[in-house]
Structures are given as C-alpha cells and as structure tokens.
Amino acid sequence: MNKELIINSTSSEVEIALLEDKLLVELNKERSNNEYSVGDIYLGRIKKIMPGLNAAFVDVGYEKDAFLHYLDLGPQVQSLLKYIRQAQSGNAHNINIGDFAIEPEIVKTGRINHVLKSGQNILIQIAKEPISTKGPRVSSELAFAGRYLVLIPFSDKISVSQKIKSAEERNRLKRLITSIKPKNCGVIIRTVAENKLVADLDADLRALYKRWESISMKLSAAKPPVKIIGEIDRTSAILRDALNESFNNIVVNDTTLYDEIRAYIGKIFPDKVGIVKLHTGKIPIFEQYGIDKQIKGTFGKTVTIKSGTYLVIEHTEALHVIDINSGHRVNQDQNQEMNALETNLEAAAEVARQLRLRDMGGIIVIDFIDMTLGQNRRKLYDKLREEMKRDRAKHSILPPSKFGLVQITRQRVRPEMNVQILERCPSCDGSGEIRPSILLTDEIENNLSYLVREQNEKNLTLIVHPYIHAYLTKGMFFNELRKWKKKYGVKLTLEPQNAYHFLEYHFYNDHGDEIKM
C-alpha cells in the first residue's frame, strides 16, 4: 500500500493528512497553543477525593479538574508517591530508580481514599484530552512510548505485543530486553520491534530512560500544577507509530518542520530520510494533493460514495449513528439480497475510513441494509473487521444483529475531528434574505450610467450569472443589452460566469481590470 503524509503548517496550527493510495484516511490538527496532549506528564495536586466514585479530582491547571479513577492509579502508585516525596524533599540528585526500594503493589479492589488524600502532590499522565465540558482523564501509571518499546517505571514486567505471533521471536525479544533493561523498570515490546537488532532496541530504551531521569531533576523545584514533561508533537508521534516500509512520501510546506522531520527520521529510520520533501510551489499544499477537495466531500452529515451509495452520520451525546443508504445503485441482474450485500460491503470500507478520518470514539451504531442470509451477514462482519485492521485505535466490533445493526466501540482519547464544510451564502451573507431580484437590472443600469457619464468609460465588459445573461439578452431586437448600448453610447460586452451566485455581477474595463463599485 502506498502511504503519504502531507503536512500543512500555518502560524496557528499544523494539519497532518495521511493518504493511503491517494485516499485521505486520517486528518489531525495540532494547534500551537494546545496545552493538553495525550502523553504529557504533570505534577498535580489532589483537589477532592470522591469515595462514591472511587476516584479523585486532580488540579492540573485546567478550568475543569482532571479525573483520576482508582483503576488508573497503577499497581505501583505507592512507589511513585514515595519517589515524589523524596524528590521534593531535596534529594532528587541522589535518587536512582535502580537502587529505589519498591513499595508493595495496591490491590485492584481497594479504595482510593486509602491511597490518596486531599492536597497531596502526584505525578499524572494525560490519558484523554479535555472533551466537551469534561476535564482531562489522567493516569498515575506513567508510560514512556518510543519507536520500539514502552518504558514503565517501578515495574519489572516485560510484555510483548500480541501481534508478534512467532514464539521464537517473542522469546528472543524477551531475552534481549531482560539483558539490557534498567532495574525496577518494566518494558512493553511494540510490534515494530519484531526482527530488530539489539542495538536499535538499546538505543530506544536509553532515550526513554533519559526522559524518565529528567523528571526527578525537575521535581525538586516544581510547584503544582505544572507540566513536567511533554509528549512529542503530533507529527513526530504519527511518524513514530505509523512509519513503515510502505511510506514513500512525506511532504511538508515549512522549512523548520522539514528539517525537524528529517532529523527525527534520521534517528529512527535512516534509510527513509530521502522520502521527506519540501513543498515550495505557489499552489497550497493541500490543494496540490487534492486533500481540500476530499475534506469537503467526506465531512458533513451526508457522505456519498462513487457508486451512488451514501452514508448519513449523526452524532448524539451518548453515541454516533451511521445509516447506510443504497441511493440509486441497483443492479437489475441481481436480486435484492445480492444488491444489499454489495452495497453493505462497499459501505463497510467507507465506514472504517470515516471512523479513522473523524477520529470518532465511544459507541458507534451502524444501520446496514437488511440481509436475510446468515452467510452474507458473516461476509459483512469479516469485511468490516478486515478494513478496521489498519485502525491504530483500540476497537471492538460485534457481529450484525438480526435487525442489521453493527455495534462498534472505539477508543476515544481526543475530541472528534469536526470540519465545517458549509459555506456562508454570498448572496444573503447568512441572513436567509436577499435584496429584491426585480431591482437587479435597475442597479446594474445605474452603475453603468455612472461609469459612462462620470468616469468616461467607453469600453466595458459585464460578467453576470448565466440566468441573468439569458434575461438581459432575450429577444433579438428588443433586449436590455441592446437598449443600454444605444442609450449610453457604450461598447458593452456581456459574458456569463457559472461560478457567480445569482445576483453577482462585475464590470471590467478595456484593459481587463475589474472596476470596483
């Protein structure tokens, strides 16, 4: 599969578009003033303990306090709290996690008021960005993600991605990590670590461990709420998680970002540095690669597929609903069941793309066209699962119900991508009302009179909407255009323009320059 990453950098934000075989499948926007990103680590203060929810609210400087549930504390939270106390007592330079005395793990069935208390300082990591009126969702089980590994302080467990199927390779990776990992640090081995050399894994592990060590240095003088360490930017995170051999193009329109990306790829994937290109053309980068047109066609309530099938996407507070409609797609040579199956299979691919593109999370209910045969429903289920394999977000898909409904739960860590594609009406400026169309010809004539008599223009071109052009030229001998030419003694050329709205018109002089009225 041909993968391309197109990056549009502006003064206020960075837009990142992921294309698969020229088709837009992911769109990310990273604002330059975005304060809360998944992976950021803060020193917060416990604001309130809620025993009924078995949770606490943590002040991290956001207008809404962050939510920390007992199950998100992590088994090693007592060790973390001890580490924070020692670091803030002035002994940060003397703390080494390898020599640190690990505290017993907490039990899963415990109560949060037995672990935390109001006013206590705690290190937390953003698990979900603030969404709607809710504050961030946070965890105190810190994790540092790298290209090949994830480092978890105060743990000793080594886990291997389930997507690595070879038992021999899993054992090899476990042995390697066991020999190089720091004491009192757990490691998760990511899928991309498969068949990698120990030197690559060791370099990744050392970089992650340095990030952890930098925390203790900052803790001694830190006063909550404060960000201790930030996650890498969204662009680098996508490169870290998604870059593989199928990537063959990364195009960016900003020189600084271009240099940063080349340097980053040079560290994690030296052979792929050449795929990074700088866009210098006059045409905007998203327009050059057809992304703007795809955005206009794939966001909004109704999404149409080439065959005529279309999706209607609705959003509620609790869930997302997608309705599949066959539109005008009907194959006369096939029965209703086969038509429904073909439509559903085509729609399944678009549904999977829409979930990634809009980053829809939570509960999604899809109303496919009813099919009576169980084997066809199974084909639809298999197709949807196959298409969703490329989705990096955690998700779960239930088989179609007897009513044709498919339920999906998908991980949500950021607000849903919502792009406004509707434009303000240029005729009414959004008011829903326009000036009387019957007066349009009078207005044009008044402006024509002014240009001829006051500005001494003798050669003019008037461009109007095709309907207005037809009206002004109707009749071979008695029409408005002929009347104006005779009345004002002007050489007047009338031209239609499809792009104009109904009441739009413009005058041009004999040099082709527009005359502003």
Side-chain angles (χ1 to χ4, degrees):
M1 178 176 290
N2 176 20
K3 287 187 178 181
E4 296 177 284
L5 204 63
I6 313 300
I7 304 169
N8 178 34
S9 177
T10 65
S11 58
S12 60
E13 66 181 4
V14 176
E15 295 179 290
I16 308 158
L18 177 61
L19 306 182
E20 292 181 354
D21 294 332
K22 304 297 181 181
L23 191 66
L24 180 65
V25 294
E26 288 187 23
L27 181 65
N28 295 276
K29 292 188 178 185
E30 181 183 10
R31 294 192 177 277
S32 55
N33 61 350
N34 187 20
E35 297 180 4
Y36 295 91
S37 297
V38 173
D40 288 350
I41 294 176
Y42 284 77
L43 179 65
R45 177 176 285 120
I46 304 297
K47 195 79 170 288
K48 188 186 299 183
I49 302 291
M50 304 292 289
L53 297 175
N54 204 18
F57 287 97
V58 185
D59 179 14
V60 292
Y62 188 66
E63 57 182 330
K64 295 283 187 178
D65 292 332
F67 183 79
L68 175 63
H69 193 270
Y70 179 84
L71 296 177
D72 294 323
L73 291 177
Q76 304 86 18
V77 66
Q78 295 288 18
S79 299
L80 176 65
L81 295 173
K82 178 182 173 182
Y83 185 90
I84 296 170
R85 289 194 299 268
Q86 291 187 12
Q88 295 205 301
S89 66
N91 297 325
H93 294 279
N94 299 323
I95 300 178
N96 187 316
I97 194 170
D99 303 326
F100 191 78
I102 299 296
E103 296 294 309
E105 294 185 357
I106 62 172
V107 296
K108 288 186 177 180
T109 55
R111 307 299 300 173
I112 197 163
N113 53 325
H114 297 159
V115 180
L116 302 177
K117 59 183 179 181
S118 296
Q120 187 174 9
N121 293 349
I122 185 170
L123 276 174
I124 53 89
Q125 190 167 31
I126 304 294
K128 287 185 180 180
E129 291 180 9
I131 297 175
S132 185
T133 58
K134 300 175 183 178
R137 179 78 181 255
V138 298
S139 170
S140 60
E141 187 172 22
L142 308 184
F144 299 86
R147 171 69 176 162
Y148 306 113
L149 308 171
V150 179
L151 180 72
I152 303 174
F154 308 112
S155 173
D156 253 333
K157 296 179 181 177
I158 298 176
S159 304
V160 184
S161 168
Q162 294 181 353
K163 293 182 180 180
I164 300 178
K165 302 298 183 183
S166 169
E168 182 179 347
E169 177 63 10
R170 294 172 68 89
N171 291 331
R172 183 188 78 91
L173 290 171
K174 276 191 174 182
R175 289 196 304 270
L176 286 179
I177 297 303
T178 302
S179 65
I180 63 175
K181 82 173 186 67
K183 187 180 178 183
N184 293 333
C185 286
V187 174
I188 299 174
I189 303 171
R190 307 184 70 178
T191 308
V192 289
E194 190 172 9
N195 299 321
K196 294 300 177 183
L197 300 174
V198 65
D200 296 328
L201 303 180
D202 184 57
D204 199 33
L205 188 58
R206 287 177 182 273
L208 296 177
Y209 189 68
K210 282 183 180 179
R211 296 189 72 202
W212 161 250
E213 286 185 319
S214 68
I215 288 182
S216 59
M217 297 297 103
K218 296 178 180 179
L219 271 179
S220 57
K223 302 292 181 185
V226 64
K227 183 192 287 188
I228 297 296
I229 188 170
E231 172 65 296
I232 61 176
D233 60 75
R234 188 78 180 126
T235 308
S236 297
I238 290 176
L239 291 173
R240 180 194 67 195
D241 296 340
L243 189 64
N244 54 42
E245 293 295 335
S246 62
F247 263 86
N248 68 345
N249 217 11
I250 299 175
V251 188
V252 59
N253 64 345
D254 180 79
T255 307
T256 303
L257 197 55
Y258 167 77
D259 292 334
E260 290 176 358
I261 292 173
R262 280 182 62 89
Y264 182 77
I265 292 182
K267 294 178 182 177
I268 66 170
F269 225 138
D271 295 340
K272 305 290 281 185
V273 171
I275 68 175
V276 185
K277 300 178 178 64
L278 179 64
H279 176 78
T280 56
K282 293 182 180 180
I283 301 176
I285 187 169
F286 270 20
E287 185 177 340
Q288 175 77 37
Y289 288 88
I291 296 169
D292 280 337
K293 186 175 181 180
Q294 290 197 54
I295 290 174
K296 294 289 185 182
T298 51
F299 283 90
K301 179 179 176 180
T302 303
V303 178
T304 304
I305 308 174
K306 285 184 179 180
S307 66
T309 302
Y310 65 94
L311 282 60
V312 179
I313 303 174
E314 299 275 8
H315 309 275
T316 72
E317 186 70 22
L319 48 80
H320 306 280
V321 181
I322 303 177
D323 183 41
I324 310 300
N325 293 274
S326 59
H328 59 262
R329 172 179 178 160
V330 176
N331 189 336
Q332 302 291 347
D333 298 330
Q334 295 180 163
N335 57 32
Q336 181 181 355
E337 181 77 6
M338 290 307 298
N339 278 324
L341 176 61
E342 287 188 1
T343 301
N344 285 339
L345 292 178
E346 183 183 34
E350 183 62 26
V351 166
R353 174 180 173 235
Q354 287 291 327
L355 297 188
R356 293 175 65 190
L357 186 58
R358 302 181 187 224
D359 205 6
M360 294 164 64
I363 301 173
I364 301 112
V365 178
I366 309 156
D367 183 13
F368 285 99
I369 298 173
D370 290 345
M371 297 182 294
T372 56
L373 298 180
Q375 63 190 43
N376 288 339
R377 291 196 292 269
R378 182 68 194 185
K379 287 180 182 178
L380 172 61
Y381 178 57
D382 292 341
K383 173 69 172 177
L384 194 54
R385 290 180 62 189
E386 183 66 27
E387 293 291 338
M388 291 288 289
K389 281 183 179 179
R390 294 195 291 271
D391 193 345
R392 296 194 304 273
K394 295 179 182 177
H395 59 269
S396 178
I397 308 173
L398 295 182
S401 70
K402 63 180 180 179
F403 299 116
L405 300 179
V406 173
Q407 299 176 65
I408 299 177
T409 59
R410 187 176 183 273
Q411 181 186 27
R412 177 170 62 183
V413 295
R414 294 179 182 85
E416 178 189 342
M417 176 63 64
N418 186 19
V419 178
Q420 293 295 329
I421 62 171
L422 299 180
E423 300 174 353
R424 182 184 291 272
C425 173
S427 297
C428 68
D429 198 31
S431 67
E433 299 175 344
I434 61 174
R435 62 185 184 273
S437 56
I438 197 173
L439 301 180
L440 177 65
T441 55
D442 292 341
E443 181 182 316
I444 294 175
E445 184 176 359
N446 289 337
N447 286 326
L448 178 63
S449 173
Y450 168 77
L451 292 175
V452 173
R453 294 173 176 173
E454 302 294 333
Q455 301 298 320
N456 201 32
E457 294 285 352
K458 297 300 183 182
N459 192 346
L460 293 170
T461 299
L462 174 62
I463 302 180
V464 296
H465 187 275
Y467 285 177
I468 304 301
H469 179 274
Y471 174 77
L472 295 177
T473 56
K474 69 177 182 177
M476 184 174 296
F477 302 108
F478 302 101
N479 57 49
E480 293 293 325
L481 178 62
R482 184 179 293 273
K483 184 181 75 174
W484 289 344
K485 287 181 178 180
K486 183 177 181 180
K487 182 177 180 179
Y488 298 105
V490 62
K491 184 179 179 182
L492 180 62
T493 303
L494 191 64
E495 295 181 2
Q497 176 55 261
N498 290 321
Y500 283 10
H501 64 77
F502 186 66
L503 300 182
E504 184 178 2
Y505 65 91
H506 296 279
F507 282 102
Y508 291 82
N509 60 24
D510 54 353
H511 300 296
D513 299 324
E514 183 182 353
I515 303 173
K516 301 292 185 182
M517 303 302 297

